[in-house]
Amino acid sequence: MNRKALYREPKNGKIAGVCAGLGRYFSMEVWWVRIIVVSAFLLGGGILIVFAYVGLWLMLEKRPDDLVAADEFDFDHTLKSKPWQTGQLPSELLADLNKEYSQIETKVRQMEAYVTSDAYKVNKEFRQL
């Protein structure tokens, strides 16, 4: 089976999984695909969008279960490269950023302590010899 084939994903979809399948195929977040489809529907594509959705619903096969199990890990890590794309709550994102910055601050303090210590001065003198 081709990994880049277009399938419906009813497990991840709201109605028939067409938008979820398109999102995976084009490496986009599903909610972006849904916004594009709804916007196109509201901005004058009405009946054409409905026919296209129903047509894709009838023509596309469901994503095989063996592909779903084998591909889940890759999908989560290759598609969502930015934290705000992962669907992470802002409070969780802020907690993660605070943790990262506190680790960086600890490293900077350790460097400052070394640079201002007598050991640094002695090592510097030995390097200049």
Side-chain angles (χ1 to χ4, degrees), residues 36-38 40-41 45-54:
I36 291 169
V37 169
V38 170
F41 177 80
I47 195 72
L48 181 64
I49 296 298
V50 171
F51 281 139
Y53 191 91
V54 172

Side-chain angles (χ1 to χ4, degrees), residues 1-22:
M1 284 182 235
N2 187 1
R3 183 181 169 131
K4 194 64 175 172
L6 181 58
Y7 295 107
R8 283 189 302 123
E9 293 192 20
K11 292 180 183 177
N12 298 331
K14 297 291 183 190
I15 298 174
V18 173
C19 289
L22 288 172

